[in-house]
Amino acid sequence: MMVALSFPVVVFSVLMPLLLLYWVLVALRLAPLELFEHDSLKGDYLASSLVALGFVGVPASVSLSVLLGLAAAITLTVELVALRWMELGLFRVPLGIVVLWGAFAVASPLAATLCAAMRRWFHRHSHSHRRCLLGERVEVRSAPDAEGVASAILLDDPQCEVRLQGKPDSMPRAGERRVLVKYLVEEGAYRSVEDGEFREARAHLRRLRLGGRRSTTAA
């Protein structure tokens, strides 16, 4: 009991029951699986941030659950092996913050790898989980028809086919590799951008955020 209430383990003692409650509600169909997803990657929200970290092809709730579970296990291990035997006093709080940061830093790539192993299952059920495909890289298989619609397959799962809805200034071309960035509900299709353009936009956004932080610090 003391371990569960000690910092930083107490953070997960609060979060994990909430996470369990959410999954019970999902099982009872009282909460949506794609709780954090939006129709577009444009915007600074949880699902978009997870895509930027490499969590692509699975709902944000799944990615977040795996990430929290691994971070909780790492934090608990550090607490049991080291922190509980140390006389830290007030230093427990800053050290606990460092442990939390390290736990998430270590857990993030591991969680991304585990989620990547689940992607094909969600691809097979993409008819009910359409928004979690945002951020996936695809290869265009056909030229756009008269309505600007082309077919494409996921690069890491060629058996999964999606429909791309082009725009006059951004039409997909056969053989081109693109990234899904927006889901069009009524059309049941996706907007997409060129792979290189998507990477450049992400890099530019990161530079803007870092610049904003430096400006704030300087102020």
Side-chain angles (χ1 to χ4, degrees):
M1 184 64 178
M2 292 299 294
V3 172
L5 295 178
S6 63
F7 187 80
V9 178
V10 68
V11 174
F12 298 102
S13 297
V14 174
L15 291 177
M16 298 311 286
L18 294 176
L19 191 61
L20 178 60
L21 175 61
Y22 165 73
W23 283 109
V24 170
L25 294 176
V26 170
L28 295 175
R29 300 184 182 276
L30 297 176
L33 182 59
E34 291 187 322
L35 179 64
F36 303 105
E37 270 73 15
H38 293 243
D39 289 338
S40 172
L41 288 181
K42 185 178 182 180
D44 190 12
Y45 49 84
L46 179 60
S48 178
S49 299
L50 287 172
V51 168
L53 290 173
F55 294 90
V56 180
V58 299
S61 57
V62 175
S63 301
L64 191 61
S65 298
V66 175
L67 179 60
L68 286 175
L70 289 175
I74 293 171
T75 302
L76 180 60
T77 300
V78 174
E79 173 68 28
L80 294 176
V81 172
L83 295 185
R84 68 177 302 189
W85 308 108
M86 302 168 65
E87 295 292 338
L88 296 173
L90 294 177
F91 288 102
R92 173 171 277 274
V93 174
L95 182 58
I97 293 174
V98 173
V99 170
L100 282 175
W101 179 87
F104 279 102
V106 173
S108 182
L110 297 176
T113 301
L114 289 176
C115 289
M118 305 179 195
R119 290 165 71 176
R120 287 179 180 265
W121 187 90
F122 285 100
H123 294 167
R124 297 294 177 270
H125 298 79
S126 61
H127 60 280
S128 57
H129 309 117
R130 304 299 290 179
R131 292 171 181 81
C132 72
L133 293 183
L134 296 180
E136 288 277 10
R137 297 171 66 235
V138 300
E139 180 176 326
V140 184
R141 305 298 289 174
S142 66
D145 59 19
E147 297 180 352
V149 177
S151 65
I153 57 172
L154 301 188
L155 283 180
D156 67 337
D157 188 2
Q159 295 183 11
C160 184
E161 184 174 317
V162 295
R163 298 171 69 244
L164 304 182
Q165 177 70 60
K167 296 192 297 185
D169 59 340
S170 180
M171 281 291 182
R173 299 185 299 272
E176 185 180 32
R177 292 187 173 182
R178 301 176 72 88
V179 179
L180 307 179
V181 295
K182 184 176 182 179
Y183 178 57
L184 305 173
V185 180
E186 295 183 359
E187 292 84 352
Y190 295 88
R191 295 283 192 203
S192 62
V193 297
E194 294 181 10
D195 194 5
E197 181 183 341
F198 180 79
R199 295 176 186 273
E200 291 174 4
R202 284 291 175 186
H204 179 60
L205 182 59
R206 283 194 293 268
R207 287 195 295 269
L208 287 177
R209 288 175 177 171
L210 290 174
R213 289 173 185 170
R214 285 196 293 268
S215 298
T216 302
T217 303

